Structure formats: C-alpha cells, structure tokens
Amino acid sequence: MKITLDIWRQKSPNDKGKFVRYELDGVSKEMTFLEMLDYLNDKLIKAGDEPVAFDSDCREGICGTCGLFINGRPNGPVKGITTCQLNMSVFKDGDTITVEPFRAKAFPVIKDLIVDRSSFDKLIQSGGFISVNTGAAPEANSIPIKKEIAERAFDAGICIGCGSCVAACKNASAMLFVSAKISQLALLPQGQTEAKERVRTMIREMDRLGFGNCTNTGACEAECPKEISLWNIAKMNREYYKATLG
Amino acid sequence: MCFPAKIINFNHILMGKLFGSSLAQKLVMALAGFFLILFLLVHLSINLLLLGDNPETFNRAAAFMSGFWLVKIFEVVLIGGLLIHIIMGITLQIQNWIARPTRYKKRYPSQTSFFSKYMIWTGGIVFIFLFIHFLNFWFVRLGFVEGDHHNFYGMAHQLFSYMGYNIIYWISFLILGFHLHHAFQSAFQTFGLNNRKCTPVIKTIGIIYSILVPLGFALIPFVIYFFK
Ligand code: HEM
Ligand code: SF4
Ligand code: FES
C-alpha cells in the first residue's frame, strides 16, 4: 500500500525543525510501524538523504525506548501497546500518518524523533534504594504477601518508563510514571523503610525537572501501553500526605 | 540577604512552589474547591427562599447570614478559600503551559473527561460572573456600591426582571456545571480516595450535583421572570 508520512525533522537540539512529507510506496500490512520507518530510511539512504532518527531497542514492548506520537496520540491508534508493537495493518492504503516526537519541556528533542528522557532516569535515581540483603536470592516464602497486594504491586511494577503518559498528558505531567514507582514499593514490605523519604524526594525531583502538574484528566491511563491505573496516583497522593503531614 | 528573604524563599515563589510542592498545592486547591462545593449547597437553599412571596423570610435569612459572628468567620474563610483556589489554579495552569513549550501538530481528542481539559476557561468564566455577583450584593453590604442591603430580596427580584442579566446568569451556571462535572470527582482523586467501591459512587454523585445545583440556581430567575 501507499502511505503519506508527515514526519518531524530536526537536525539538532537547537535546530528549529519542521515537518517533512514523504510518499512511501510498497508498504506491506505485515510490517510493524518501526519496520515501515526502517524501510523509509533504506530508501532515504539510497537516495543520499539523511535517514529519520528514531529510538528502539527490544522491539517487543518491554524496554520503553521506542515511543512516538502517531496521528495525535502516543503509540498510535491501538490501546495498550508500545510503538514497536504497532502494526501497519491498522492503516489503510492512501492514509496520511503524522509522526511527532514526544513533546515536553522535560523531554527535549535530540534529533528528529529522538527525545532525551534522562529526566526519567534522574527521577528513578532520586527514589534511592531499598534496604535488602544482597547475596543469594532470598527464599520466596519468607515474607508472605497477600495475593491482592502482590497483584497491585505487580500491576504498578510493569511500567516500562516509556514516557507515553507524559506525552499524552495535556500538562506534560509525570504523575503516572512516578506513582507507579512509588506505589509499587509502598505496597510491598521491602519498600517500607524508605517509603516516606522516597515519596518526598521523588516529588521534589519531579517538580524540579519541569514536568507539569496533574489535573486528573486521565489521559495518561488511557494511553499507557501497560495500562497503569490512576489508582496509583491516588495511592501516591496518600503516601505523600502521610510523609509530609503525618 | 535582607530579613524577609530569609523567611520567604523567593526562589520557591518564582517557581510557584509556595506551598512546598505541586502535590501540596493541589491538595490546598482541592480542599478550597471542595469547601466551595459545600457552600454552594447552603447558598442554594437560601436563594430558594427568593421564590417565596414573603420578602421577610429571605431578608431575615440574608441578615442572619451577614450578622451572625460564626457566619462572619465563615465568610472570611470562604473568600480566602475562593482566592486560594483561583490563585493556585492559575499558577498550576501557567506551570502546565510551560511544561509543554512545543505543541503537537496533530492531537487526537482523548476519550477521557471532556470538561477536564477546559478547567481554566470554565473557572475563568465563573470568576467573571463572581465579580458581577460581588458587585451586585457583597460590595453593597460593604458599602462599596450603592444599594439597600436590608432588602436583598428586592434587589434580586429587580435584577431577575432584566432578561439580559438572566441570560448572563444562566450561561454562568451552565459553565459552572461544566467546571463542577470534572471538579467534584477530581477533588476526591486529589484527596487520595480512589477505589473500586467508592469511585463509581463519587462520580455519580458528582454528575448529579453538577446538574442539580446549577439547575436549582438557574430555576430561580426563570420562575421570577416568567411567573411572578
Ligand atoms: C464556585 C466556584 C468554584 C468551585 C465550587 C470550584 C471547585 C473546584 C474543584 C473541587 C476542583 C478540583 C480540584 C482538584 O481536584 O484538585 C476545581 C478545579 C479547578 N478550578 Fe475550580 N471551582 C470554582 C471556581 C473556580 C474559579 C473562579 C477558577 C479560576 C479562575 C477555578 C479554576 C480551577 C482550575 C484551573 C481547576 C483545575 C485544577 C485541577 O483539576 O487540579 N475554579 N475547582
Ligand atoms: S506509566 Fe505507562 S505510559 Fe507512563 S512510563 Fe510507565 S508504562 Fe509508560
Ligand atoms: S523498542 Fe522496546 S518497547 Fe518498543
């Protein structure tokens, strides 16, 4: 099939950047979205043009590096998937697809579609450590955890740090990401010792890095590839009030 | 550094972090907003007395509201709450605009709460209405504006006999309903209350509140204009 692409091109962080239109023939329904971009880049290189820079690593939805803003939403039109899991079969012959980098002050563009998400690394670092003994893997049954709690923690723990929540939020807020980390550790006994310190420093860091403030619109939950729940944000709010007021 | 700089962290003020953090600011804002939500119920029940034929009942209620010392304290808290809500709302919103300096070219309208996207605008319109409202009533009592503050019943009936005023009134309450539609349930999420049992109930109460309360206010000029 034939696809028209409107892709954001930006040479360097300080370049102004602009949208460039590409007509791409011979796209097959079996391609993934990223394979389609590879295919485009092949053609660009053969024609002596600069290929479109984009990020990817695992290409199976677990590393969180590939996020793109496709036709007005993170990871394109399918719910609960990363960009690398998006298939060209959801598009039709003759479609125009707009591809933009994630936009946020805390995610500056490095080149074309690649953004610098090291602010997420800084957030994780600010969360510090948990006090557990290193060495051999501990006996799994020595700390009993209720099934419901374990599931809640797991549901939060599957966040891959892709940044789709920030990209989708009208306020560019990182609340869903931070809350997934906070609540995962706050739910489990292993995370209790540093729980108060962790939530305080992570919130401080989140504000410092220039993410926006949550207004509970729920866009993050709707677009998160791992479908992390807003429940985690409420949980984080409780943890924060406990740590600062109590 | 000079003296005040030591107590007041100017850096925090510049960054809008007057209350320590975005979460603390949001909590204060939600508390103030929720207080306003409760107050609207009291306000509505007093206003409904306007529909009675006896000016005395309403004027006595209004006099009670302005005379009783507990109510006076309540009034200060109320105005303070309103100001805090507005100031916090505007600061948070400005930070949110700064947090996304480059806009997207194409934006798919997300399926999430429609009115949540326009809180600053619905709030702004409510603010303009409140200004007109204060000009009409509260400022009269304080003596800033001319009028008979012993006869708010008469004043209200007079205002509601102008169609132009009624239209502004109705539009304002429609917009307030939009604001409250998101605000009610949002406040509980901010308080940290979100679970499978309560959240659907809260959302339902929020929708009922955001329809019935503005409707109740809007009904009063309707009845006065067309039936009195
Ligand atoms: C009677 C009047 C009002 C009531 C009862 C009210 C109530 C509320 C409540 C309960 C919230 C939710 C807070 C939260 O979840 O954190 C809210 C949000 C908001 N309000 Fe108001 N409000 C009123 C007037 C205003 C005015 C005059 C403005 C501004 C000019 C305003 C601006 C905002 C903004 C920007 C939000 C969104 C912030 C957020 O969702 O976190 N409001 N309002
Ligand atoms: S919460 Fe969801 S959208 Fe946000 S970083 Fe984690 S996986 Fe990505
Ligand atoms: S490349 Fe790893 S999640 Fe997409």
Side-chain angles (χ1 to χ4, degrees):
Chain A
M1 55 184 182
K2 195 173 171 200
I3 294 283
T4 305
L5 290 158
D6 252 338
I7 300 182
W8 180 258
R9 301 300 310 258
Q10 181 174 340
K11 289 195 182 71
S12 64
N14 295 324
D15 180 30
K16 249 184 75 197
K18 61 175 189 298
F19 281 94
V20 177
R21 182 160 280 221
Y22 299 97
E23 308 282 345
L24 193 58
D25 212 349
V27 175
S28 97
K29 296 240 177 212
E30 280 76 43
M31 286 179 179
T32 67
F33 191 84
L34 295 186
E35 280 166 352
M36 182 275 295
L37 288 181
D38 289 335
Y39 174 64
L40 168 73
N41 279 346
D42 244 21
K43 293 205 161 185
L44 288 178
I45 292 167
K46 281 187 189 130
D49 286 335
E50 177 89 7
V52 177
F54 64 92
D55 248 342
S56 76
D57 188 5
C58 72
R59 296 213 176 187
E60 56 179 0
I62 53 174
C63 73
T65 46
C66 57
L68 297 174
F69 210 76
I70 301 163
N71 273 353
R73 52 203 294 196
N75 314 308
V78 183
K79 233 179 117 64
I81 59 162
T82 57
T83 295
C84 59
Q85 291 172 304
L86 180 66
N87 235 285
M88 289 311 288
S89 59
V90 306
F91 297 102
K92 294 189 309 291
D93 186 42
D95 273 1
T96 300
I97 309 173
T98 308
V99 192
E100 301 174 67
F102 283 180
R103 298 282 190 199
K105 182 162 169 270
F107 289 170
V109 174
I110 300 172
K111 187 176 182 185
D112 296 340
L113 303 173
I114 299 182
V115 296
D116 178 0
R117 274 172 300 178
S118 54
S119 50
F120 265 17
D121 301 334
K122 289 185 191 128
L123 264 169
I124 291 289
Q125 281 159 12
S126 73
F129 50 82
I130 58 165
S131 306
V132 288
N133 292 327
T134 53
E139 156 59 35
N141 292 322
S142 58
I143 307 176
I145 296 167
K146 270 209 284 194
K147 181 165 182 294
E148 201 209 323
I149 301 288
E151 274 176 1
R152 277 248 149 97
F154 185 80
D155 286 348
I158 57 174
C159 161
I160 54 175
C162 65
S164 301
C165 42
V166 176
C169 175
K170 81 171 178 49
N171 311 318
S173 162
M175 288 281 274
L176 194 64
F177 169 73
V178 178
S179 73
K181 306 301 165 199
I182 294 288
S183 92
Q184 179 197 353
L185 293 173
L187 282 162
L188 298 174
Q190 292 91 333
Q192 296 310 310
T193 319
E194 298 84 10
K196 287 188 172 177
E197 183 61 22
R198 183 183 309 115
V199 66
R200 264 188 264 125
T201 49
M202 284 186 88
I203 298 292
R204 199 185 310 132
E205 186 69 358
M206 176 180 85
D207 290 344
R208 192 188 68 80
L209 289 165
F211 290 103
N213 312 298
C214 178
T215 56
N216 305 325
T217 69
C220 51
E221 182 186 49
E223 299 291 354
C224 169
K226 300 298 160 187
E227 304 186 308
I228 305 285
S229 161
L230 281 187
W231 179 86
N232 292 294
I233 295 184
K235 167 84 180 157
M236 175 169 76
N237 290 345
R238 292 200 294 278
E239 290 293 319
Y240 186 74
Y241 305 147
K242 253 197 291 178
T244 48
L245 305 174
Chain B
M1 263 290 166
C2 60
F3 176 62
K6 273 190 185 144
I7 6 176
I8 305 167
N9 186 335
F10 283 115
N11 201 21
H12 275 187
I13 295 175
L14 286 178
M15 289 173 60
K17 298 288 179 267
L18 191 56
F19 286 86
S21 75
S22 58
L23 259 64
Q25 274 176 299
K26 282 216 41 129
L27 176 64
V28 170
M29 176 168 187
L31 285 170
F34 198 71
F35 185 69
L36 294 175
I37 283 182
L38 294 179
F39 170 71
L40 279 181
L41 285 176
V42 180
H43 197 325
L44 176 61
S45 19
I46 293 179
N47 277 22
L48 285 171
L49 294 177
L50 279 173
L51 290 180
D53 283 326
N54 185 0
E56 268 314 298
T57 332
F58 178 81
N59 283 340
R60 236 184 294 130
F64 168 76
M65 287 302 281
S66 50
F68 190 34
W69 63 271
L70 200 67
V71 180
K72 281 227 162 93
I73 295 175
F74 182 82
E75 203 164 56
V76 173
V77 177
L78 184 70
I79 298 297
L82 184 65
L83 285 178
I84 286 175
H85 184 78
I86 294 170
I87 292 167
M88 292 282 114
I90 294 173
T91 358
L92 290 170
Q93 182 60 57
I94 290 172
Q95 290 169 350
N96 290 347
W97 280 323
I98 295 173
R100 170 154 302 129
T102 318
R103 305 194 138 239
Y104 291 110
K105 179 183 177 198
K106 196 167 173 190
R107 201 102 160 77
Y108 172 86
S110 76
Q111 312 93 317
T112 56
S113 162
F114 178 79
F115 297 118
S116 71
K117 296 182 196 130
Y118 306 104
M119 293 301 275
I120 189 70
W121 308 117
T122 50
I125 291 170
V126 171
F127 178 74
I128 294 171
F129 171 76
L130 283 174
F131 191 76
I132 300 174
H133 179 59
F134 283 160
L135 213 60
N136 287 333
F137 292 96
W138 204 58
F139 288 175
V140 172
R141 237 197 55 216
L142 292 182
F144 294 160
V145 179
E146 237 175 276
D148 180 7
H149 71 273
H150 295 299
N151 189 10
F152 278 148
Y153 180 93
M155 275 176 69
H157 273 257
Q158 206 183 354
L159 280 171
F160 289 150
S161 63
Y162 297 126
M163 199 38 155
Y165 185 83
N166 288 350
I167 288 171
I168 294 175
Y169 197 84
W170 287 325
I171 292 174
S172 306
F173 276 97
L174 180 69
I175 304 281
L176 177 67
F178 294 163
H179 194 78
L180 294 172
H181 181 93
H182 173 67
F184 194 95
Q185 50 101 15
S186 175
F188 285 93
Q189 168 77 3
T190 303
F191 297 150
L193 193 83
N194 176 332
N195 60 49
R196 264 170 236 139
K197 258 193 243 145
C198 299
T199 303
V201 179
I202 291 168
K203 285 194 177 169
T204 311
I205 297 176
I207 291 171
I208 295 172
Y209 179 98
S210 65
I211 294 172
L212 284 191
V213 170
L215 202 66
F217 276 101
L219 198 69
I220 295 162
F222 184 81
V223 171
I224 290 178
Y225 189 86
F226 289 107
F227 300 104
K228 300 253 163 176

